[in-house]
Structures are given as C-alpha cells and as structure tokens.
Amino acid sequence: MPKLNYKIIFHILGLLLLCNGAFMFIATVFSFAYNDGVGIEMSLSALMTMFIGLIFMFQTKDHEKKDLGKREGYIVVTFGWIFMSLSGTLPYVFTGAIPSFTNAFFETISGYTTTGASILDDIEAVPEGVLIWRSLTHWIGGMGIIVLAIAILPLLGVGGMQLFAAEAPGPSADKLHPRITDTAKRLWLIYVGYTAIETVLLKIAGMNFFDAFNHAMSTLSTGGFSTKNASVAHWNDNPWIQWIIIVFMFLAGANFVLSYFLFKGKLRKIWEDEEFRYYTRYILGFTVMVGLIVYYQADVTRSSIDHPMVWGEFESAFRHAIFQILAVVTTTGFVSADYTMWTPFLTVFFFGLMFSGGSAGSTSGGIKIVRHIITIKNGFLEFRRALHPNAVLPVRYNTKAVNKEIVYTILGFFILYFLSFIIGALVLGMCGLDFQSAIGGAATSLGNVGPALGQLSPVNNFNSLPDLAKWWCSFLMLIGRLELFTVLILLTPFFWRKR
C-alpha cells in the first residue's frame, strides 16, 4: 500500500479553510449592513480562518502527486468536515452568541451536516450576521464541502474523482458530464438557482429579505435552521409561505440530476427514475393518511394548529401533514407543528420516517430511498430463490440488473447503520437521557433530521443535553452525513498500515 501523501491532504484542507473564511466574509457583510454590533468579531473570524488556510496551502505548495488516492480522499473528506466545523465555531465564540466551545461546535457541525439540531434557546436574540453564518453552514454542507472544492480543484492541478466518490450521497453518483469538475459546477448552478428562486418567492409571499434568504438556504440544504424560535410555525397564519417551502423541500429531497433533466425538458427521464416514482408516491400516500388522522383525531390545540387557517381546517391539516412528512423524510427538520402531540400512532410513525431519508444525489441525509428499494426487492427475491435455488434472479433497478457487490454493500450499510443507531442510543442512555429521548436523539443525529422525541421534540432543543451527549451526537451527525463508511474506515487499523 503506497505511503499517504500528507502534503496534498493539508493543501486541500487549506483550500477548504480558505473557502470557509470567504463565506464568513459574506456573513460579515450582513453584520455590518444590519449594524448588529458584531461586525468586527465576524471579520476577525474570517481573517483567522483564511490565515490558517493560507499557511496550510503555502507550507504544502510543493506537493508532488497530482491525483488523489482513495485513502487520501477519505481523509480529506472526513477531516475537511472536522476542520470546517472547528473553524466554523469562531463566529459563535468571538461574538459571544455561543460562548461555550462544546455548544458552538455542536451548532456548527449540526449546520455543516445539515442536521438542524440547535442548542439556542432564543434564536431571535442572536445578531443577524451570526444567523446568516449559521444558515451558510447549512448551505455549504448541503451540496457538500468537497463538491464545492472539486469545482475549483483544477486551479491546483489535482483531480477530484476520489473526493467525489467519498462524499457523494447514496450508493452511486449519477454524473451530468464525463468530467467530474463540470458535474460539480452544474450541481452548484442548480443549487444556487433554486436558492435564489425560493428567496424571491418567500419575499413575495410575505417574509422580509433576511428571513427569506435564511430559510431558502436552510430549505435547499435540507438543514432546518430558522431565524425564529418557533421555526416555520411562526408563519402558521400564512399558508403561502409554508406551501413554497413544501415545494422546495420536495425538490431538495429529490436527486439533483433530475432537476437538470427538468431544465433540459426531459420530463420522461424524470418519471422513468424508479426512486423518484417511489419518493413521490409514498409522500402523497403518507400525506393522505396523516392528513386524515390530524383532521379527525389530533388535538389541534396541542399540535400548534390551534385555529382555522385562511383556507380552512381541512387545508390546514393536510398542509401540516405534508410539511412535517417532507421535513422528516428529506431530513430538513423545519417545524410547523409538534407531531409528537398529534396522536401516539403518529409519534411512532414519524420516528419511523427518520430512517427513510431522501433520494440519492439529493442534499438529504438518512438511509436514502434507493437503498430501501433494493433491500426490499432483494428480500422478496430470497423467497423465490428458496423455491428455485438454481435460478438466476438478479435484483433489478430502473429495469437494469444490480451488481451483486452493490447489493451486498447496501445490506452491509443497513447492518452498520442500525448497529450505529443501537450503540448511539445506548450511549445517550448512559448520559442520562430517558428512553424516548435516547432513541430519538440517536435516530435524528444519525439521520441528520433535527427534531426528535421526548426532551428533543420539535418544540424543544438540544441545549439540555450534557456535554458528553452533545459530543456523541456530533459524532453521529458526522458519520451519518458522510454515510458511515467514509468516517468509520478511518477507525480501522488496516487503513493506516503502510503495507
């Protein structure tokens, strides 16, 4: 096994810190524009981050190898997320918005992993520049820090395929263009375009520009950070705002390659995608079921639907149903109502949705729908194989036979995912959380969802957790966002062996 090229690793990590500092300057501009009193501290955070990044790049400018190996790719992706999260705490700590480093790191990695779990008790008291930075961490992490980097890696003379393979969500990454850098650029163009469109629509619907911009970044990244203490429930008297967010949550939870086909007018290719068909059908089916239960059984005075909306109680019930279903399935985590107060059945139902995830190639976290499809199909085929042991019965996806190695990898992912969930819940239980909070906290952190159950329900936050539990949830968020293997492989001894 070839020796690790540490110079190229630190060179790319320096580039990521440089990009992170540049995004901090965007937040700084908002800080000065809104005169929130922390512009200087935001500037210092950006300068310090960029300075450290420049040191890394300058000290490793003579790196020799032009192509990254797989091991370097895994290290850059994992430590890229960690370094970005560490530097991302600076605006919180320097401004005093979150003086505790543990809390600041939790909030930051929750942002980058697009989990949306927060420790802030009074979000509306936080300076505008810090809130913009908080949403920007979502936006950066949504499409992927590494995808952002490989769009400009040609400037460094290094390849990006290994980074894309390590970071890209789902069992496979569809490419829009043979060159990986062109794929990354097209993905980001769609991402930026959707963010701009949603910002404009939310502004027209009644939000001010600041709230619209923040919520657009949180929606497209499937993150869930809001500028209001009540999250999107703050606009429960404005159905248009919630319907706009519903549409963009749906788009963000679908494969971004399909959005490319949409703009190219290739609508048939969209519906031919098996994962998209399942995604659409079960969202609609679940909405009908939950909407009817909410309308006929839920105690609306306890579920935040405490008065008829502009279009009537029936519309309100179904709007909140599809909103919360999409918020959990796409792992966005916005809150329009407290689903844990609807009915016991729906509480368990939404807990189960935390294990679904959006589509592969989307900004969603979680297991991903395509993995569920292939696993279920393989399970049914096992019955047929038991009756016909000599028959060749491949799993088919999008009418094509799926390679056995891919099926085995997906089955291995499921085992590792639920093992991580069980261990995660056990550790949280050891930290003093009750049963509901422990299993909810583990599921929501690993799936990058945001709200959970018990003391971590949609109307609560994670501030009450002990520090050890916050660090453990941070670890679960990281391995969940990078789909387990990328991080956990670094914990194996054979990864670091020279031979």
Side-chain angles (χ1 to χ4, degrees), residues 165-197:
E167 195 281 334
S172 64
D174 292 314
K175 294 196 293 180
L176 312 183
H177 194 276
R179 292 182 59 192
I180 193 66
T181 51
D182 289 327
T183 294
K185 289 173 184 176
R186 282 165 170 77
L187 289 173
W188 268 94
L189 184 62
I190 295 170
Y191 193 53
V192 172
Y194 275 159
T195 305
I197 293 169

Side-chain angles (χ1 to χ4, degrees), residues 163-457:
L163 292 179
F164 187 76
E167 195 281 334
S172 64
D174 292 314
K175 294 196 293 180
L176 312 183
H177 194 276
R179 292 182 59 192
I180 193 66
T181 51
D182 289 327
T183 294
K185 289 173 184 176
R186 282 165 170 77
L187 289 173
W188 268 94
L189 184 62
I190 295 170
Y191 193 53
V192 172
Y194 275 159
T195 305
I197 293 169
E198 187 184 359
T199 300
V200 172
L201 291 177
L202 289 176
K203 178 72 170 65
I204 294 172
M207 280 190 181
N208 59 47
F209 172 75
F210 181 81
D211 291 333
F213 185 46
N214 276 280
H215 284 83
M217 287 193 288
S218 292
T219 305
L220 267 301
S221 63
T222 64
F225 279 156
S226 176
T227 55
K228 302 297 182 184
N229 293 328
S231 188
V232 181
H234 180 84
W235 291 278
N236 271 358
D237 59 346
N238 190 332
W240 285 112
I241 286 177
Q242 295 184 352
W243 280 114
I244 290 168
I245 293 175
I246 285 168
V247 170
F248 282 94
M249 279 197 292
F250 179 83
L251 291 173
N255 193 327
F256 268 69
V257 173
L258 300 183
S259 289
Y260 178 78
F261 293 150
L262 175 65
F263 294 129
K264 284 288 187 177
K266 300 178 180 179
L267 301 181
R268 185 174 180 179
K269 292 195 73 171
I270 297 174
W271 194 246
E272 286 176 349
D273 184 80
E274 191 171 352
E275 183 182 37
F276 181 76
R277 293 200 304 270
Y278 277 102
Y279 173 64
T280 304
R281 288 167 179 169
Y282 89 73
I283 289 294
L284 293 175
F286 288 163
T287 297
V288 172
M289 180 191 74
V290 175
L292 289 173
I293 293 174
V294 171
Y295 183 73
Y296 287 108
Q297 294 186 19
D299 184 350
V300 294
T301 62
R302 297 170 60 196
S303 63
S304 299
I305 316 174
D306 53 3
H307 57 83
M309 298 302 156
V310 176
W311 299 338
E313 290 183 0
F314 191 78
E315 179 275 338
S316 176
F318 278 86
R319 170 163 41 86
H320 284 279
I322 192 171
F323 189 100
Q324 289 306 142
I325 287 170
L326 279 169
V328 175
V329 168
T330 65
T331 72
T332 306
F334 278 141
V335 176
S336 69
D338 184 0
Y339 56 76
T340 64
M341 303 301 290
W342 284 346
T343 68
F345 168 78
L346 289 182
T347 300
V348 177
F349 174 77
F350 277 100
F351 173 71
L353 287 184
M354 293 180 189
F355 296 94
S356 59
S359 305
S362 71
T363 58
S364 299
I367 292 175
K368 302 293 190 301
I369 296 167
V370 64
R371 287 194 178 98
H372 288 286
I373 294 172
I374 292 175
T375 301
I376 293 170
K377 283 188 173 184
N378 184 68
F380 279 110
L381 281 178
E382 286 299 326
F383 293 117
R384 295 180 63 186
R385 290 176 186 136
L387 295 174
H388 308 285
N390 296 322
V392 178
L393 301 169
V395 176
R396 293 191 175 276
Y397 176 72
N398 281 339
T399 71
K400 297 179 182 178
V402 179
N403 190 292
K404 283 186 177 180
E405 284 70 24
I406 294 177
V407 176
Y408 296 152
T409 300
I410 290 174
L411 294 176
F413 178 89
F414 267 95
I415 294 171
L416 194 58
Y417 192 94
F418 283 100
L419 184 62
S420 299
F421 162 68
I422 293 169
I423 296 173
L426 286 172
V427 173
L428 291 178
M430 291 172 60
C431 292
L433 276 69
D434 61 79
F435 177 73
Q436 275 198 12
S437 301
I439 63 171
T444 197
S445 298
L446 194 60
N448 306 132
V449 178
L453 308 175
Q455 69 186 73
L456 307 177
S457 72

Side-chain angles (χ1 to χ4, degrees), residues 36-54:
D36 61 6
V38 295
I40 301 298
E41 291 83 355
M42 293 293 297
S43 301
L44 288 174
S45 302
L47 289 170
M48 181 175 290
T49 301
M50 295 184 75
F51 178 70
I52 296 172
L54 285 172

Side-chain angles (χ1 to χ4, degrees), residues 5-22 48-64 76 83-84 149 152-158:
N5 189 338
Y6 287 102
K7 283 192 174 182
I8 197 172
I9 291 171
F10 278 96
H11 199 73
I12 298 175
L13 291 177
L15 169 67
L16 294 175
L17 290 176
L18 205 61
C19 292
N20 211 28
M48 181 175 290
T49 301
M50 295 184 75
F51 178 70
I52 296 172
L54 285 172
I55 290 177
F56 279 14
M57 295 186 71
F58 181 76
Q59 292 295 325
T60 57
K61 64 181 180 179
D62 59 340
H63 61 84
E64 297 177 358
V76 166
F83 274 52
M84 296 283 274
I152 56 177
L153 274 179
L155 298 174
L156 304 177
V158 297

